[in-house]
Amino acid sequence: MNLLGKPYSQTATFKGGQLFIGDCSVSELVDKYDSPLFVIDKADFINRANSWKQAFESNLGNQAGDVYYAGKAFINSEIALWLYDLNINLDLCSGGELAVAQKAKFPSSRIEFHGNNKSESELESAVRSEVGAVVIDSFIEITRLANIALNLGKKQKVMLRITPGIDAHTHEFIRTSQEDVKFGFSLSSGDAQKAIEQVEKEPSLELIGLHCHIGSQIYNLDSYREAILRLITLFNFHQQNYQTKLQYFNLGGGFGVAYLPTDDQLDPNKTMAEIGKVFIDITAKNNLSHLKLSIEPGRAIAAPSTTTIYQVGTVKNVNLENGEQRKYISVDGGFIDNMRTALYDATYTAILANRESNAGNINSRIVGKHCESGDVIIKEISLPEDIGAKDLLAIPATGAYGRSMASNYNHMLRPAVVVVENGSAGVILRREKMEDLLNLEQKLEMSPISDKG
Ligand code: LLP
């Protein structure tokens, strides 16, 4: 049961003025593991992953393909093991993400390998390890991958990433499927058909399906319906021109989650019922009922499970031009561990986590400790005016694209990630140490780059 409601993870609750997650007091977690700290509520992650999987399977019936978790949201060997146990597959998009899955001994056949500019060595590693499918993104990649597979004596299963030209209603930087975008083969220009023709000529490639991902943080299911309708034309084209049948239609991820208590959140069952109905009907009408649908949720599984805990360092009241005051609350992390506000104008909420306060609220801004005024985590929030040094603030729904997009700007260290459940906690990603960064440095020893003249 979700005690604090959206957007908190399901076991988050208050006892004696203290925030507990997974029955662990947040204050004790910080005493033990320091801050900033990403806290994953394991029960929440597992239950949410399960709800998507169950909703998907029950609504798609025998047209259910696979659920792929989008590792870009947040991946780690431990998370890969949870997904393995849940029978959820992995969508990975770099050699690094692939290395994590390999470390966890995640079966390659359950991995889909994405990316608009995969290097030759990434492709080679994917083919050698026999990933379930490589999702091809460009004409150059068709030839590149075909040659790699040929040289390795393998026949590689592939999908084609299609750009159906849909302008999903979400932030510009997380839309991926309008025409003017770096991803995939455009449907309207005819490139998508040409790509099918080119792949079908390559003896070392086996085309098993088509893929699209229309963007992220989508609440309006019409965009998915439109994507399905548009891609079906391409499945028809393939069916009319080739003996072999395509098996999979992968609709990508993008299912919207709540960051604020007032935000919507897509319900897995309602979402999959609606998408499933459109898919089953349209495939039946087009004599394509053998097709299986797959999806790739990342954020919808990872984001709500995780809360970031920060410790307050300094506070400052600033007079605004309109005569009001704003309290700047500076915490011990910043936009290196949550870039989403700076990058996408994302909105979050926060809660005082280490004590109760009866003080009145004041208009506040939560900022980090970087030398940059854009280093803002929450632009506008009403918080108790007595918040001060050493207080803890908890920011929920930070499990997707937080730690995974973190950087080391200002030589600051990326936070640890701990998992909590039933009063126990354990680290799955340790806090960086200064040695980790300093060890990257080398003493300059110069040598000629070419032996010519
Ligand atoms: N599949 C593909 C091919 C993708 O490119 C993505 C996300 C997903 C699935 C998962 O989408 P999700 O279900 O997580 O929305 N950094 C941005 C999001 C970038 C998403 C990139 N692709 C953010 O923080 O909002």
Side-chain angles (χ1 to χ4, degrees):
M1 193 177 62
N2 190 333
L3 296 164
L4 290 180
K6 282 186 306 187
Y8 294 88
S9 71
Q10 71 175 61
T11 69
T13 187
F14 267 95
K15 280 187 239 167
Q18 294 271 328
L19 178 64
F20 279 70
I21 307 174
D23 267 335
C24 298
S25 127
V26 156
S27 299
E28 285 177 338
L29 288 172
V30 168
D31 286 346
K32 184 157 182 187
Y33 302 110
D34 208 350
S35 64
L37 190 63
F38 286 97
V39 179
I40 302 185
D41 181 340
K42 181 172 178 187
D44 186 287
F45 188 104
I46 301 281
N47 290 343
R48 224 169 274 270
N50 236 333
S51 317
W52 279 98
K53 170 113 176 131
Q54 307 267 306
F56 173 76
E57 286 177 348
S58 61
N59 286 292
L60 267 304
N62 61 7
Q63 285 188 259
D66 292 292
V67 176
Y68 290 82
Y69 168 74
K72 51 190 84 68
F74 177 68
I75 189 73
N76 161 279
S77 310
E78 177 67 25
I79 302 286
L81 294 176
W82 297 353
L83 295 162
Y84 173 80
D85 287 342
L86 294 167
N87 221 1
I88 290 179
N89 293 357
L90 283 179
D91 143 18
L92 305 175
C93 70
S94 71
E97 290 181 2
L98 202 55
V100 173
Q102 284 165 348
K103 183 174 175 210
K105 302 203 165 32
F106 197 91
S108 298
S109 60
R110 285 174 48 188
I111 292 174
E112 239 182 23
F113 192 49
H114 276 279
N116 67 304
N117 185 17
K118 308 171 193 81
S119 68
E120 290 193 4
S121 69
E122 285 174 321
L123 287 172
E124 195 178 314
S125 159
V127 176
R128 267 187 204 285
S129 64
E130 302 185 346
V131 295
V134 173
V135 183
I136 299 182
D137 195 278
S138 64
F139 287 110
I140 291 182
E141 195 174 82
I142 298 177
T143 319
R144 195 177 275 166
L145 181 64
N147 288 339
I148 289 171
L150 199 66
N151 289 339
L152 293 172
K154 307 247 189 202
K155 184 149 184 148
Q156 178 61 52
K157 291 191 170 137
V158 300
M159 312 263 294
L160 287 171
R161 176 155 179 173
I162 310 299
T163 315
I166 289 168
D167 198 350
H169 297 283
T170 186
H171 191 281
E172 184 190 354
F173 294 166
I174 52 179
R175 269 187 248 150
T176 53
S177 198
Q178 69 278 24
E179 285 291 335
D180 185 7
V181 76
K182 69 173 181 169
F183 296 106
F185 298 95
S186 142
L187 187 61
S188 64
S189 71
D191 277 359
Q193 275 194 20
K194 283 190 207 137
I196 291 181
E197 287 160 357
Q198 194 170 322
V199 169
E200 287 290 1
K201 284 188 198 134
E202 296 289 352
S204 60
L205 303 181
E206 179 190 350
L207 184 63
I208 60 166
L210 304 174
H211 172 282
C212 69
H213 168 77
I214 56 176
S216 259
Q217 264 305 69
I218 294 169
Y219 297 109
N220 184 345
L221 299 183
D222 290 347
S223 305
Y224 290 108
R225 172 200 305 269
E226 194 53 38
I228 294 174
L229 300 184
R230 292 194 189 182
L231 250 69
I232 284 295
T233 59
L234 212 51
F235 281 98
N236 277 334
F237 164 78
H238 187 275
Q239 174 138 296
Q240 282 150 18
N241 290 283
Y242 298 93
Q243 302 284 312
T244 52
K245 280 189 186 311
L246 296 181
Q247 302 157 53
Y248 296 102
F249 183 135
N250 191 323
L251 191 56
F255 309 110
V257 305
Y259 286 99
L260 299 176
T262 47
D263 283 349
D264 276 348
Q265 172 142 291
L266 286 186
D267 171 73
N269 206 30
K270 283 193 198 137
T271 306
M272 289 325 305
E274 204 167 318
I275 291 178
K277 183 170 179 343
V278 173
F279 184 74
I280 291 167
D281 287 355
I282 190 89
T283 48
K285 280 197 195 113
N286 287 274
N287 197 19
L288 288 166
S289 292
H290 63 278
L291 274 183
K292 291 185 190 298
L293 186 76
S294 295
I295 52 168
E296 298 169 338
R299 183 192 321 261
I301 294 175
S305 71
T306 301
T307 307
T308 311
I309 315 298
Y310 294 105
Q311 188 171 72
V312 177
T314 60
V315 296
K316 192 182 277 180
N317 284 340
V318 169
N319 294 325
L320 304 180
E321 274 176 12
N322 63 7
E324 289 173 12
Q325 276 210 322
R326 170 176 287 137
K327 176 166 176 165
Y328 275 81
I329 303 176
S330 297
V331 296
D332 53 356
F335 72 163
I336 64 158
D337 37 67
N338 187 350
M339 287 189 194
R340 300 196 66 261
T341 306
L343 264 183
Y344 317 121
D345 259 334
T347 47
Y348 288 90
T349 189
I351 200 164
L352 179 60
N354 57 310
R355 65 182 173 89
E356 247 163 344
S357 168
N358 295 319
N361 276 4
I362 180 169
N363 174 21
S364 307
R365 178 167 284 177
I366 302 181
V367 296
K369 53 183 279 151
H370 297 278
C371 278
E372 187 152 333
S373 44
D375 173 24
V376 173
I377 301 174
I378 301 184
K379 259 191 189 155
E380 192 98 41
I381 182 166
S382 180
L383 284 173
E385 60 190 350
D386 64 349
I387 286 182
K390 303 253 186 278
D391 273 331
L392 298 179
L393 291 177
I395 303 193
T398 51
Y401 309 106
R403 181 62 179 80
S404 69
M405 293 206 298
S407 83
N408 290 114
Y409 182 43
N410 295 142
H411 266 60
M412 279 174 47
L413 306 172
R414 288 177 298 176
V417 181
V418 299
V419 170
V420 292
E421 190 177 39
N422 298 330
S424 294
V427 176
I428 59 167
L429 210 51
R430 73 156 165 82
R431 184 175 305 285
E432 276 175 332
K433 298 179 186 157
M434 194 46 72
E435 296 120 76
D436 293 330
L437 298 193
L438 296 182
N439 280 342
L440 297 172
E441 294 192 4
Q442 298 205 160
K443 181 161 169 29
L444 179 62
E445 280 172 21
M446 296 179 83
S447 53
I449 216 66
S450 151
D451 45 13
K452 285 182 224 135

